[in-house]
Structure formats: C-alpha cells, structure tokens
Amino acid sequence: MRNNNECAAGFDWQRSDRMPRPEGRWLRDVAVALSIALMAALLLMAGDARAQARMVQIAGNNRTVMVDVAIGKSQDVRTDRSFVDLMVGDPEVADVNPLTDHSLSILAKKIGTTRVSVYAEGKKLIGIFDVEVTYDISRLTNELKRRFPGSSIQASTVNGRIMLSGQVADAATLDKAVTIARQFGPEIINTVSVMSPQQVMLEVRFVEISRTASRELGVQWNRFGQHSVTNIGNRTKNLPITAPNKLSQITETSAGMLSGAAPFGFLLGRIVAGGATTDILINALEQKGIARSLAEPNLVALSGDTASFLAGGEFPIPVSSNNGQITVDYKKYGVGLAFTPTVLGQGLINMKIEPEVSQIDTTHAVAVSKDIAVPALTVRRASTTVELRDGQSFAIGGLLQSDNRNQIEQLPWLGNVPILGALFASRSYMKNETDLVIIVTPHLVRPARPGDGLRTPADDSLSPNDLDFFLMGKTEMPPRQARALTPAAARIAAAGALPFTGHMLDLPRRVSDAAIQ
C-alpha cells in the first residue's frame, strides 16, 4: 500500500509538473483573440469591397448611366446582364477591364468623360454607360472641415471641376479655402457667399509743403570810353553797349539776376573821369516762399478689387510710328492713388496702397524736333501693404526732397581776391525743400437702405431769384432763408414747392422734405 501511495503521489507530482503555467495560458488566449479579430477584419474588408461594387443596369431604357470615379482610384461595377466584350471610347481617360461575365473594374487615369460599350456574344451591343473621372473631393472635404470647423463650405465636382459652395464669415476664410482647393485641382468654381460687408472706403489726405529760399548778389562794371567799351558782369542783354544818356537807359540794359528774376535791390553809381564814363551796378535779391497743397480723395472698392484715382491731367507726347508718321500719346500727371483692399476677419482690412504725386518739369524738357520739346515729370511714388481696422489711420511720411544750388560768376584772378573779389563777381544760392505726407483711413461701408435719401452738396443752397441776385448780390440762398421770406412762402413751401427761388426762366420744381429743411 505504501508503494501504491508512493506511486500515486509520484504520478500526481509528475502530472502537476507538466501542467501549463498561468502565464502560458494567458499568452495562448491573447493569440486566439488576435486571430479571431484578424479574421473578422478580413471579412469586413471583403464585405466593404463587395459593397463598393456598383450595380449598373445596361439593358432597358436606362442606357446613359454615369459612373463617377476619382482620379487615380478604381471602381468595381456589376452589370445586370452577362457580357463577353468591352470597348472604351477614350482609353487615356480610364481603363476598363472585365473581371467576370457580370463585373468589371474601372481605373481612372485622366480628368474627363468617356463611354463604355458592353457586347454579348456575336458582338451584339447590349448596353452602354458613361464614366466620368473627377477629382478626389473626399480628402478636400475632410481638409475643409478640419481647417474651418465653423463654416459651411462644401466641395463637389461639376464637369470635371471642383466647385465650392456654402457661406463663410469673411473674405480671408474664403481666400484660404480657395487656396487649399487649388492644391487638389487647378480650376475652382467659387460660389461661396461672404457674410461680412465687403465694401471699403478709403479716405486719403495728400499734404505737400514746399519751402523755397534764395539769395543773390551781383556786381557789374560798364566803362564807356571814346574808342572802347568795357563790361564786367552778365547784366546786359544786347551787345555792343553804347554810352547811355539817361539812367533809365542803363537800367533797361540790365538782364536781372542769375535766377532770371527781376532785381529787387538795385544800386547804380557813375564815375566820369578823363572823358570816360564808368557805371557800377549792384543787384541784390533775397526770396523766401512757402506753398501748401492739399488733396483729399475718397475711394470705394470691393474686397479684392482695385480702385484708382487721379487729380491732375494729361499732356501730349509725340510718338513716331513705323511708317514715319507722328502720333500723339498722353502721359498722366497729378495726384494719383490706387489701392486694393481685402477684408479679413474681425474687421481687419489688408490694403495694398500705391500713391503717386507728379508734376511737369519744364527745366528738363527734351527736344524731339526743331519746334517740339517734351517736358519731364517730377514723380514721387510709394507702394506699401498695411493692415488696419475700421477707422484706424496711418501716415506715409519721409518723402522729403531737398534741392540746393550754388552758382558763382566772376572775373578770373580778380574774383579770387579776398573781400575785394566780391566787386568782380556775382554769386547766388537757392534751396528748395518739398515734404509730402499721405494719411490713409479705411472704413467698412454698407449701401443705403432702399428708400433712404442721400444728400448732396447742392442740397444746402438754392438758386436766388432776380431780386436777390441783381439787387442784393446774392448768388445762392439757404433753404431756410428762402422759406422764411414771407408768410406766403411758408404756405408754398408746405405745399412742396420752392418759393421765390430761381430766375424767371427757371421752371417751378418740387423737392423732397430733406431739401427744404
């Protein structure tokens, strides 16, 4: 019995030693679970693949079925009838390969449309259907939802092009969406509407200040002898110089200052000795001046469009053609402005501004023929891009132009003598400084409501009658004053007519209540 017990105990000990450990059992269970999950995933993929196969009816009345396939992808199609052969109209658009007698595979290669003909035995045509290769908008749709979660932008395809539709809050969001869509297709049909106002009014002020200062001092010697005439200086226009009998004749021979202006300070001295007359002319001139120019144009443009303005004119320029004839072209000058606004989010406005100020410069004219000279243009131009909010202002400054000129005319050697050399020389200097400042203020504007009246500068004044114009000297009448002339005028004004205004040839006219208040 002991041996049996010992054998039984030994058997039990050996059996327990061969039993798998808990860790091994856990690993086996995990492996089984993974195998089951993998088989289920394969079955789901196979089911999805079967679900993706489209059923096409190629027989009966429905003979123009359209099958959409994204470019670079394939689509399985099942037919309701068996076939033995296929023919593709444009193999460059799509490849169509039969899988079974009731199924085929379409591989999209190029954007476009092609037709597939299906034949039975004996080349008998049993049906046709169209294949349209479009862009893959599924990725685009997901990208738009991820980038713009609060917008309702939708992407679709129309005749091989990507079309965007829906609504966005501002133009900046729309511009980003169109940029993203162009990465999926070059041609975008944009039908998205923008909710925020898209009209921008730009208030611009051009302030130009020009300062001029100059000073000139010239000395001229004229000696009239019996047999000779001597002149030192450049104050004479006509030669030879004859001995004048009166001082007025001497002043008439003066040519003015170096700048061409008439002399302001003029001193004449005469010395008579030995039968010879010597005249000393001293001309002095000092000039100071300041000029201010102001222009305030207002422009309105849609977001993304360019508006331009020019306050100036055009001057003709002769242009030679190929056959030798001369035609006339025109060059613009004056105060010009071009700006392109883009309304961003939260009232922010991006603006590209190109102001320009130009004027005709006759001192640098170019002669194109004997009698024709084309003047030059002095131009100050700037180009910048800024971002401002509604009502904020910024200034473009630093457009300073300074011109300094010094000129000396003197007699050789004698003009270099200190102090005394000033009696044999004419000196002048001129300084001209021009500063330009451009102040820009953008505003978001909305059109007036239907029925709202818009006032004009002519609403603040009326034409006078003959009595006010000829006797009182009034060129215009305020509406209140014209209405308060007499008690009868008030009754006429209440009826809607203008009392006692306009000349006798003017027909009676009626105005709105806004014009007579």
Side-chain angles (χ1 to χ4, degrees):
M1 293 295 295
R2 188 183 60 178
N3 294 333
N4 294 335
N5 293 335
E6 289 178 358
C7 292
F11 176 77
D12 293 339
W13 177 83
Q14 292 179 358
R15 186 178 59 182
S16 61
D17 184 63
R18 293 181 180 180
M19 290 179 63
R21 297 180 181 179
E23 292 81 1
R25 187 183 301 109
W26 179 81
L27 293 176
R28 184 184 61 184
D29 295 340
V30 170
V32 172
L34 290 177
S35 300
I36 296 175
L38 181 59
M39 293 178 63
L42 293 176
L43 291 176
L44 289 175
M45 293 176 61
D48 292 340
R50 288 192 299 269
Q52 291 179 358
R54 179 176 177 179
M55 185 65 181
V56 176
Q57 183 180 0
I58 61 175
N61 297 328
N62 190 8
R63 294 179 177 270
T64 57
V65 178
M66 180 68 70
V67 179
D68 300 331
V69 185
I71 186 172
K73 294 186 177 181
S74 61
Q75 175 71 43
D76 293 341
V77 176
R78 295 182 59 84
T79 61
D80 58 341
R81 296 182 60 182
S82 61
F83 61 90
V84 296
D85 197 6
L86 300 171
M87 186 177 70
V88 183
D90 190 355
E92 295 184 358
V93 175
D95 282 340
V96 181
N97 299 315
L99 300 178
T100 63
D101 59 344
H102 282 83
S103 63
L104 52 91
S105 177
I106 303 175
L107 176 62
K109 300 167 57 179
K110 179 182 177 182
I111 298 295
T113 304
T114 185
R115 173 158 290 186
V116 179
S117 302
V118 183
Y119 296 93
E121 296 181 359
K123 295 295 183 181
K124 181 180 179 181
L125 180 64
I126 60 175
I128 56 176
F129 64 93
D130 295 334
V131 176
E132 181 181 5
V133 179
T134 61
Y135 293 101
D136 186 7
I137 62 173
S138 59
R139 293 179 52 197
L140 175 59
T141 302
N142 296 333
E143 189 68 20
L144 293 177
K145 291 181 179 180
R146 186 176 68 86
R147 296 282 183 176
F148 314 105
S151 63
S152 60
I153 304 178
Q154 298 177 357
S156 59
T157 58
V158 176
N159 196 21
R161 299 180 182 179
I162 297 177
M163 184 179 70
L164 299 180
S165 59
Q167 294 180 350
V168 293
D170 47 57
T173 304
L174 176 58
D175 184 67
K176 294 178 182 178
V178 173
T179 303
I180 294 175
R182 285 199 179 99
Q183 308 305 317
F184 294 85
E187 298 182 6
I188 305 299
I189 302 176
N190 183 12
T191 61
V192 181
S193 59
V194 182
M195 303 302 296
S196 62
Q198 296 300 299
Q199 295 185 119
V200 180
M201 182 182 69
L202 191 66
E203 295 181 356
V204 185
R205 296 180 60 193
F206 291 87
V207 182
E208 184 178 8
I209 300 178
S210 178
R211 297 181 177 89
T212 303
S214 64
R215 183 175 296 172
E216 302 182 25
L217 179 62
V219 179
Q220 179 173 335
W221 297 79
N222 295 327
R223 182 181 182 279
F224 305 96
Q226 296 180 354
H227 303 287
S228 63
V229 176
T230 304
N231 171 253
I232 300 176
N234 62 347
R235 296 296 180 264
T236 56
K237 292 182 179 180
N238 300 320
L239 292 175
I241 301 175
T242 59
N245 295 325
K246 298 180 180 180
L247 294 179
S248 60
Q249 296 178 357
I250 297 177
T251 57
E252 291 176 357
T253 62
S254 177
M257 309 304 295
L258 294 176
S259 61
F264 185 83
F266 186 82
L267 177 62
L268 174 64
R270 171 171 291 180
I271 301 175
V272 179
T277 303
T278 303
D279 298 329
I280 303 176
L281 289 80
I282 301 178
N283 296 327
L285 175 65
E286 182 177 3
Q287 292 180 334
K288 294 181 180 180
I290 183 172
R292 297 186 180 183
S293 177
L294 175 63
E296 296 185 0
N298 293 336
L299 299 178
V300 179
L302 290 174
S303 177
D305 292 342
T306 301
S308 59
F309 166 85
L310 176 64
E314 298 180 353
F315 64 93
I317 298 177
V319 179
S320 178
S321 58
N322 296 330
N323 55 5
Q325 296 181 355
I326 296 179
T327 59
V328 178
D329 195 4
Y330 290 89
K331 181 68 175 179
K332 298 180 181 180
Y333 70 94
V335 178
L337 173 68
F339 88 107
T340 304
T342 301
V343 180
L344 305 179
Q346 300 179 355
L348 194 64
I349 305 173
N350 178 280
M351 295 182 300
K352 180 180 179 182
I353 305 175
E354 297 178 349
E356 178 179 325
V357 178
S358 59
Q359 58 186 1
I360 297 178
D361 185 7
T362 57
T363 59
H364 296 84
V366 178
V368 295
S369 64
K370 182 179 180 181
D371 300 328
I372 300 177
V374 179
L377 281 179
T378 301
V379 182
R380 274 159 291 173
R381 183 184 297 113
S383 179
T384 182
T385 302
V386 296
E387 290 186 357
L388 295 176
R389 297 191 180 275
D390 184 7
Q392 291 183 336
S393 301
F394 83 100
I396 302 176
L399 303 177
L400 178 64
Q401 181 179 359
S402 180
D403 186 10
N404 298 327
R405 298 181 182 179
N406 295 327
Q407 185 176 358
I408 298 178
E409 293 183 353
Q410 64 183 15
L411 193 68
W413 301 297
L414 292 180
N416 295 328
V417 177
I419 302 176
L420 295 179
L423 299 177
F424 303 94
S426 296
R427 296 178 173 90
S428 68
Y429 80 91
M430 180 179 296
K431 184 177 182 180
N432 187 4
E433 290 185 354
T434 302
D435 194 3
L436 177 63
V437 178
I438 304 171
I439 303 175
V440 178
T441 304
H443 295 281
L444 292 175
V445 297
R446 296 175 176 85
R449 295 177 300 178
D452 291 347
L454 300 179
R455 295 184 59 84
T456 65
D459 296 339
D460 297 332
S461 62
L462 302 174
S463 300
N465 57 14
D466 294 342
L467 178 63
D468 293 327
F469 180 72
F470 290 104
L471 297 183
M472 306 301 295
K474 296 181 178 180
T475 58
E476 57 183 2
M477 295 285 293
R480 292 182 178 273
Q481 184 177 354
R483 186 177 56 184
L485 289 177
T486 61
R491 293 193 298 271
I492 298 175
L498 294 179
F500 303 105
T501 59
H503 297 285
M504 60 183 178
L505 294 181
D506 294 341
L507 296 177
R509 56 193 178 97
R510 302 179 67 89
V511 296
S512 61
D513 295 337
I516 61 176
Q517 291 180 357

mmCIF file of all heavy atoms in Angstrom, residues 479-517:
data_model
loop_
_atom_site.group_PDB
_atom_site.id
_atom_site.type_symbol
_atom_site.label_atom_id
_atom_site.label_comp_id
_atom_site.label_asym_id
_atom_site.label_seq_id
_atom_site.Cartn_x
_atom_site.Cartn_y
_atom_site.Cartn_z
ATOM 1 N N PRO A 479 -31.947 127.115 -47.924
ATOM 2 C CA PRO A 479 -33.368 126.732 -47.989
ATOM 3 C C PRO A 479 -34.210 127.348 -46.893
ATOM 4 O O PRO A 479 -35.341 127.762 -47.138
ATOM 5 C CB PRO A 479 -33.316 125.204 -47.880
ATOM 6 C CG PRO A 479 -31.956 124.834 -48.344
ATOM 7 C CD PRO A 479 -31.060 125.946 -47.906
ATOM 8 N N ARG A 480 -33.687 127.441 -45.683
ATOM 9 C CA ARG A 480 -34.467 128.031 -44.597
ATOM 10 C C ARG A 480 -34.742 129.505 -44.839
ATOM 11 O O ARG A 480 -35.816 130.024 -44.547
ATOM 12 C CB ARG A 480 -33.737 127.834 -43.272
ATOM 13 C CG ARG A 480 -33.656 126.377 -42.808
ATOM 14 C CD ARG A 480 -32.965 126.267 -41.463
ATOM 15 N NE ARG A 480 -32.915 124.890 -40.996
ATOM 16 C CZ ARG A 480 -33.880 124.296 -40.297
ATOM 17 N NH1 ARG A 480 -34.974 124.985 -39.990
ATOM 18 N NH2 ARG A 480 -33.764 123.045 -39.905
ATOM 19 N N GLN A 481 -33.745 130.220 -45.359
ATOM 20 C CA GLN A 481 -33.943 131.636 -45.624
ATOM 21 C C GLN A 481 -34.949 131.857 -46.743
ATOM 22 O O GLN A 481 -35.765 132.775 -46.697
ATOM 23 C CB GLN A 481 -32.607 132.283 -45.987
ATOM 24 C CG GLN A 481 -32.690 133.787 -46.187
ATOM 25 C CD GLN A 481 -31.321 134.392 -46.478
ATOM 26 O OE1 GLN A 481 -30.312 133.692 -46.410
ATOM 27 N NE2 GLN A 481 -31.305 135.681 -46.785
ATOM 28 N N ALA A 482 -34.921 131.038 -47.766
ATOM 29 C CA ALA A 482 -35.880 131.180 -48.861
ATOM 30 C C ALA A 482 -37.295 130.865 -48.392
ATOM 31 O O ALA A 482 -38.263 131.458 -48.861
ATOM 32 C CB ALA A 482 -35.491 130.264 -50.010
ATOM 33 N N ARG A 483 -37.441 129.953 -47.443
ATOM 34 C CA ARG A 483 -38.769 129.590 -46.956
ATOM 35 C C ARG A 483 -39.327 130.635 -46.004
ATOM 36 O O ARG A 483 -40.538 130.796 -45.880
ATOM 37 C CB ARG A 483 -38.695 128.230 -46.264
ATOM 38 C CG ARG A 483 -40.048 127.680 -45.848
ATOM 39 C CD ARG A 483 -39.895 126.315 -45.239
ATOM 40 N NE ARG A 483 -38.962 126.354 -44.118
ATOM 41 C CZ ARG A 483 -38.590 125.266 -43.440
ATOM 42 N NH1 ARG A 483 -39.050 124.074 -43.794
ATOM 43 N NH2 ARG A 483 -37.740 125.360 -42.434
ATOM 44 N N ALA A 484 -38.449 131.373 -45.315
ATOM 45 C CA ALA A 484 -38.889 132.347 -44.313
ATOM 46 C C ALA A 484 -38.969 133.765 -44.847
ATOM 47 O O ALA A 484 -39.026 134.716 -44.068
ATOM 48 C CB ALA A 484 -37.947 132.302 -43.113
ATOM 49 N N LEU A 485 -38.985 133.973 -46.162
ATOM 50 C CA LEU A 485 -39.044 135.333 -46.706
ATOM 51 C C LEU A 485 -40.383 135.992 -46.375
ATOM 52 O O LEU A 485 -40.433 137.110 -45.870
ATOM 53 C CB LEU A 485 -38.814 135.289 -48.216
ATOM 54 C CG LEU A 485 -37.394 134.953 -48.658
ATOM 55 C CD1 LEU A 485 -37.324 134.878 -50.174
ATOM 56 C CD2 LEU A 485 -36.402 135.982 -48.146
ATOM 57 N N THR A 486 -41.474 135.339 -46.632
ATOM 58 C CA THR A 486 -42.808 135.889 -46.393
ATOM 59 C C THR A 486 -43.696 134.808 -45.833
ATOM 60 O O THR A 486 -43.415 133.614 -45.965
ATOM 61 C CB THR A 486 -43.411 136.434 -47.701
ATOM 62 O OG1 THR A 486 -43.516 135.362 -48.628
ATOM 63 C CG2 THR A 486 -42.538 137.538 -48.296
ATOM 64 N N PRO A 487 -44.810 135.176 -45.194
ATOM 65 C CA PRO A 487 -45.759 134.134 -44.743
ATOM 66 C C PRO A 487 -46.302 133.311 -45.891
ATOM 67 O O PRO A 487 -46.566 132.112 -45.737
ATOM 68 C CB PRO A 487 -46.860 134.950 -44.055
ATOM 69 C CG PRO A 487 -46.195 136.215 -43.636
ATOM 70 C CD PRO A 487 -45.177 136.518 -44.707
ATOM 71 N N ALA A 488 -46.470 133.961 -47.065
ATOM 72 C CA ALA A 488 -46.950 133.189 -48.207
ATOM 73 C C ALA A 488 -45.928 132.144 -48.631
ATOM 74 O O ALA A 488 -46.284 131.068 -49.131
ATOM 75 C CB ALA A 488 -47.269 134.122 -49.372
ATOM 76 N N ALA A 489 -44.626 132.455 -48.434
ATOM 77 C CA ALA A 489 -43.591 131.497 -48.806
ATOM 78 C C ALA A 489 -43.670 130.239 -47.959
ATOM 79 O O ALA A 489 -43.420 129.137 -48.427
ATOM 80 C CB ALA A 489 -42.216 132.136 -48.666
ATOM 81 N N ALA A 490 -44.048 130.404 -46.696
ATOM 82 C CA ALA A 490 -44.168 129.226 -45.838
ATOM 83 C C ALA A 490 -45.296 128.324 -46.306
ATOM 84 O O ALA A 490 -45.179 127.091 -46.273
ATOM 85 C CB ALA A 490 -44.390 129.655 -44.393
ATOM 86 N N ARG A 491 -46.425 128.909 -46.749
ATOM 87 C CA ARG A 491 -47.535 128.099 -47.250
ATOM 88 C C ARG A 491 -47.133 127.389 -48.547
ATOM 89 O O ARG A 491 -47.504 126.231 -48.761
ATOM 90 C CB ARG A 491 -48.760 128.977 -47.469
ATOM 91 C CG ARG A 491 -49.348 129.537 -46.174
ATOM 92 C CD ARG A 491 -50.715 130.116 -46.421
ATOM 93 N NE ARG A 491 -50.671 131.243 -47.358
ATOM 94 C CZ ARG A 491 -50.498 132.515 -47.010
ATOM 95 N NH1 ARG A 491 -50.376 132.831 -45.710
ATOM 96 N NH2 ARG A 491 -50.476 133.468 -47.920
ATOM 97 N N ILE A 492 -46.390 128.102 -49.399
ATOM 98 C CA ILE A 492 -45.958 127.476 -50.641
ATOM 99 C C ILE A 492 -44.971 126.349 -50.351
ATOM 100 O O ILE A 492 -44.999 125.281 -50.977
ATOM 101 C CB ILE A 492 -45.344 128.517 -51.591
ATOM 102 C CG1 ILE A 492 -46.392 129.566 -51.952
ATOM 103 C CG2 ILE A 492 -44.802 127.857 -52.853
ATOM 104 C CD1 ILE A 492 -45.827 130.697 -52.794
ATOM 105 N N ALA A 493 -44.086 126.577 -49.382
ATOM 106 C CA ALA A 493 -43.114 125.535 -49.038
ATOM 107 C C ALA A 493 -43.799 124.318 -48.442
ATOM 108 O O ALA A 493 -43.386 123.180 -48.661
ATOM 109 C CB ALA A 493 -42.080 126.094 -48.070
ATOM 110 N N ALA A 494 -44.877 124.573 -47.664
ATOM 111 C CA ALA A 494 -45.610 123.441 -47.104
ATOM 112 C C ALA A 494 -46.274 122.604 -48.183
ATOM 113 O O ALA A 494 -46.481 121.401 -48.018
ATOM 114 C CB ALA A 494 -46.656 123.947 -46.111
ATOM 115 N N ALA A 495 -46.615 123.264 -49.309
ATOM 116 C CA ALA A 495 -47.207 122.520 -50.421
ATOM 117 C C ALA A 495 -46.187 121.714 -51.195
ATOM 118 O O ALA A 495 -46.553 120.907 -52.053
ATOM 119 C CB ALA A 495 -47.925 123.487 -51.367
ATOM 120 N N GLY A 496 -44.889 121.956 -50.946
ATOM 121 C CA GLY A 496 -43.852 121.171 -51.597
ATOM 122 C C GLY A 496 -43.103 121.894 -52.675
ATOM 123 O O GLY A 496 -42.220 121.314 -53.300
ATOM 124 N N ALA A 497 -43.398 123.173 -52.956
ATOM 125 C CA ALA A 497 -42.696 123.927 -53.989
ATOM 126 C C ALA A 497 -41.661 124.836 -53.351
ATOM 127 O O ALA A 497 -41.683 125.093 -52.137
ATOM 128 C CB ALA A 497 -43.673 124.750 -54.827
ATOM 129 N N LEU A 498 -40.731 125.345 -54.157
ATOM 130 C CA LEU A 498 -39.694 126.250 -53.683
ATOM 131 C C LEU A 498 -40.151 127.691 -53.916
ATOM 132 O O LEU A 498 -40.303 128.103 -55.064
ATOM 133 C CB LEU A 498 -38.371 125.987 -54.399
ATOM 134 C CG LEU A 498 -37.733 124.636 -54.113
ATOM 135 C CD1 LEU A 498 -36.457 124.490 -54.905
ATOM 136 C CD2 LEU A 498 -37.460 124.470 -52.641
ATOM 137 N N PRO A 499 -40.387 128.494 -52.887
ATOM 138 C CA PRO A 499 -40.906 129.847 -53.089
ATOM 139 C C PRO A 499 -39.799 130.848 -53.389
ATOM 140 O O PRO A 499 -38.756 130.841 -52.752
ATOM 141 C CB PRO A 499 -41.573 130.153 -51.748
ATOM 142 C CG PRO A 499 -40.752 129.368 -50.762
ATOM 143 C CD PRO A 499 -40.284 128.127 -51.481
ATOM 144 N N PHE A 500 -40.046 131.672 -54.363
ATOM 145 C CA PHE A 500 -39.190 132.817 -54.638
ATOM 146 C C PHE A 500 -37.739 132.405 -54.868
ATOM 147 O O PHE A 500 -36.818 133.065 -54.397
ATOM 148 C CB PHE A 500 -39.261 133.847 -53.501
ATOM 149 C CG PHE A 500 -40.644 134.319 -53.230
ATOM 150 C CD1 PHE A 500 -41.342 133.871 -52.123
ATOM 151 C CD2 PHE A 500 -41.273 135.199 -54.094
ATOM 152 C CE1 PHE A 500 -42.632 134.308 -51.876
ATOM 153 C CE2 PHE A 500 -42.572 135.633 -53.847
ATOM 154 C CZ PHE A 500 -43.260 135.190 -52.745
ATOM 155 N N THR A 501 -37.515 131.314 -55.538
ATOM 156 C CA THR A 501 -36.162 130.895 -55.852
ATOM 157 C C THR A 501 -36.062 130.656 -57.343
ATOM 158 O O THR A 501 -37.040 130.268 -57.986
ATOM 159 C CB THR A 501 -35.790 129.596 -55.102
ATOM 160 O OG1 THR A 501 -36.703 128.576 -55.467
ATOM 161 C CG2 THR A 501 -35.826 129.805 -53.601
ATOM 162 N N GLY A 502 -34.875 130.855 -57.874
ATOM 163 C CA GLY A 502 -34.664 130.659 -59.293
ATOM 164 C C GLY A 502 -35.015 131.903 -60.091
ATOM 165 O O GLY A 502 -35.803 132.748 -59.666
ATOM 166 N N HIS A 503 -34.374 132.027 -61.247
ATOM 167 C CA HIS A 503 -34.628 133.173 -62.111
ATOM 168 C C HIS A 503 -35.932 132.987 -62.858
ATOM 169 O O HIS A 503 -36.594 131.953 -62.777
ATOM 170 C CB HIS A 503 -33.458 133.358 -63.078
ATOM 171 C CG HIS A 503 -32.165 133.657 -62.369
ATOM 172 N ND1 HIS A 503 -31.883 134.883 -61.816
ATOM 173 C CD2 HIS A 503 -31.089 132.865 -62.089
ATOM 174 C CE1 HIS A 503 -30.680 134.859 -61.262
ATOM 175 N NE2 HIS A 503 -30.183 133.635 -61.415
ATOM 176 N N MET A 504 -36.303 134.003 -63.626
ATOM 177 C CA MET A 504 -37.612 133.988 -64.264
ATOM 178 C C MET A 504 -37.707 132.920 -65.348
ATOM 179 O O MET A 504 -38.797 132.528 -65.739
ATOM 180 C CB MET A 504 -37.911 135.365 -64.872
ATOM 181 C CG MET A 504 -36.906 135.805 -65.925
ATOM 182 S SD MET A 504 -37.284 137.450 -66.526
ATOM 183 C CE MET A 504 -35.930 137.705 -67.669
ATOM 184 N N LEU A 505 -36.582 132.444 -65.862
ATOM 185 C CA LEU A 505 -36.615 131.397 -66.878
ATOM 186 C C LEU A 505 -36.656 129.997 -66.279
ATOM 187 O O LEU A 505 -36.832 129.025 -66.994
ATOM 188 C CB LEU A 505 -35.405 131.510 -67.809
ATOM 189 C CG LEU A 505 -35.357 132.771 -68.675
ATOM 190 C CD1 LEU A 505 -34.117 132.743 -69.564
ATOM 191 C CD2 LEU A 505 -36.611 132.895 -69.539
ATOM 192 N N ASP A 506 -36.426 129.886 -64.955
ATOM 193 C CA ASP A 506 -36.442 128.581 -64.306
ATOM 194 C C ASP A 506 -37.876 128.109 -64.106
ATOM 195 O O ASP A 506 -38.739 128.863 -63.652
ATOM 196 C CB ASP A 506 -35.742 128.626 -62.947
ATOM 197 C CG ASP A 506 -34.258 128.901 -63.106
ATOM 198 O OD1 ASP A 506 -33.767 128.684 -64.229
ATOM 199 O OD2 ASP A 506 -33.622 129.336 -62.136
ATOM 200 N N LEU A 507 -38.149 126.870 -64.444
ATOM 201 C CA LEU A 507 -39.463 126.287 -64.236
ATOM 202 C C LEU A 507 -39.643 125.925 -62.769
ATOM 203 O O LEU A 507 -38.682 125.572 -62.069
ATOM 204 C CB LEU A 507 -39.626 125.042 -65.106
ATOM 205 C CG LEU A 507 -39.587 125.289 -66.616
ATOM 206 C CD1 LEU A 507 -39.678 123.957 -67.347
ATOM 207 C CD2 LEU A 507 -40.704 126.218 -67.055
ATOM 208 N N PRO A 508 -40.874 126.010 -62.241
ATOM 209 C CA PRO A 508 -41.097 125.590 -60.850
ATOM 210 C C PRO A 508 -40.744 124.123 -60.684
ATOM 211 O O PRO A 508 -41.038 123.293 -61.538
ATOM 212 C CB PRO A 508 -42.593 125.857 -60.639
ATOM 213 C CG PRO A 508 -42.966 126.831 -61.692
ATOM 214 C CD PRO A 508 -42.083 126.537 -62.863
ATOM 215 N N ARG A 509 -40.131 123.795 -59.586
ATOM 216 C CA ARG A 509 -39.723 122.428 -59.322
ATOM 217 C C ARG A 509 -40.069 122.060 -57.894
ATOM 218 O O ARG A 509 -40.201 122.922 -57.027
ATOM 219 C CB ARG A 509 -38.218 122.225 -59.553
ATOM 220 C CG ARG A 509 -37.330 123.148 -58.752
ATOM 221 C CD ARG A 509 -35.899 123.109 -59.261
ATOM 222 N NE ARG A 509 -35.028 124.036 -58.529
ATOM 223 C CZ ARG A 509 -34.262 123.677 -57.517
ATOM 224 N NH1 ARG A 509 -34.275 122.416 -57.113
ATOM 225 N NH2 ARG A 509 -33.494 124.555 -56.906
ATOM 226 N N ARG A 510 -40.197 120.795 -57.659
ATOM 227 C CA ARG A 510 -40.529 120.295 -56.335
ATOM 228 C C ARG A 510 -39.347 119.491 -55.807
ATOM 229 O O ARG A 510 -38.614 118.870 -56.562
ATOM 230 C CB ARG A 510 -41.775 119.407 -56.387
ATOM 231 C CG ARG A 510 -42.996 120.115 -56.963
ATOM 232 C CD ARG A 510 -44.176 119.173 -57.001
ATOM 233 N NE ARG A 510 -44.615 118.824 -55.655
ATOM 234 C CZ ARG A 510 -45.513 119.526 -54.978
ATOM 235 N NH1 ARG A 510 -46.031 120.630 -55.503
ATOM 236 N NH2 ARG A 510 -45.882 119.154 -53.763
ATOM 237 N N VAL A 511 -39.208 119.546 -54.533
ATOM 238 C CA VAL A 511 -38.100 118.845 -53.905
ATOM 239 C C VAL A 511 -38.642 117.994 -52.769
ATOM 240 O O VAL A 511 -39.794 118.117 -52.361
ATOM 241 C CB VAL A 511 -37.029 119.826 -53.378
ATOM 242 C CG1 VAL A 511 -36.409 120.576 -54.525
ATOM 243 C CG2 VAL A 511 -37.640 120.792 -52.377
ATOM 244 N N SER A 512 -37.782 117.165 -52.250
ATOM 245 C CA SER A 512 -38.161 116.335 -51.113
ATOM 246 C C SER A 512 -38.082 117.142 -49.828
ATOM 247 O O SER A 512 -37.571 118.260 -49.798
ATOM 248 C CB SER A 512 -37.237 115.111 -51.025
ATOM 249 O OG SER A 512 -35.915 115.541 -50.842
ATOM 250 N N ASP A 513 -38.627 116.566 -48.758
ATOM 251 C CA ASP A 513 -38.604 117.272 -47.474
ATOM 252 C C ASP A 513 -37.197 117.508 -46.990
ATOM 253 O O ASP A 513 -36.930 118.477 -46.277
ATOM 254 C CB ASP A 513 -39.395 116.466 -46.441
ATOM 255 C CG ASP A 513 -40.866 116.386 -46.826
ATOM 256 O OD1 ASP A 513 -41.329 117.266 -47.579
ATOM 257 O OD2 ASP A 513 -41.525 115.437 -46.364
ATOM 258 N N ALA A 514 -36.253 116.633 -47.357
ATOM 259 C CA ALA A 514 -34.872 116.798 -46.892
ATOM 260 C C ALA A 514 -34.222 118.028 -47.498
ATOM 261 O O ALA A 514 -33.296 118.590 -46.937
ATOM 262 C CB ALA A 514 -34.059 115.555 -47.228
ATOM 263 N N ALA A 515 -34.665 118.477 -48.666
ATOM 264 C CA ALA A 515 -34.026 119.606 -49.331
ATOM 265 C C ALA A 515 -34.483 120.937 -48.783
ATOM 266 O O ALA A 515 -33.781 121.936 -48.919
ATOM 267 C CB ALA A 515 -34.293 119.547 -50.832
ATOM 268 N N ILE A 516 -35.695 121.049 -48.167
ATOM 269 C CA ILE A 516 -36.209 122.336 -47.706
ATOM 270 C C ILE A 516 -36.160 122.456 -46.199
ATOM 271 O O ILE A 516 -36.705 123.385 -45.630
ATOM 272 C CB ILE A 516 -37.662 122.538 -48.198
ATOM 273 C CG1 ILE A 516 -38.566 121.461 -47.636
ATOM 274 C CG2 ILE A 516 -37.707 122.584 -49.701
ATOM 275 C CD1 ILE A 516 -40.029 121.655 -47.994
ATOM 276 N N GLN A 517 -35.547 121.486 -45.538
ATOM 277 C CA GLN A 517 -35.437 121.570 -44.091
ATOM 278 C C GLN A 517 -34.076 122.117 -43.691
ATOM 279 O O GLN A 517 -33.123 121.971 -44.433
ATOM 280 C CB GLN A 517 -35.650 120.188 -43.475
ATOM 281 C CG GLN A 517 -37.098 119.684 -43.622
ATOM 282 C CD GLN A 517 -37.284 118.328 -43.021
ATOM 283 O OE1 GLN A 517 -36.340 117.722 -42.532
ATOM 284 N NE2 GLN A 517 -38.520 117.841 -43.044
#
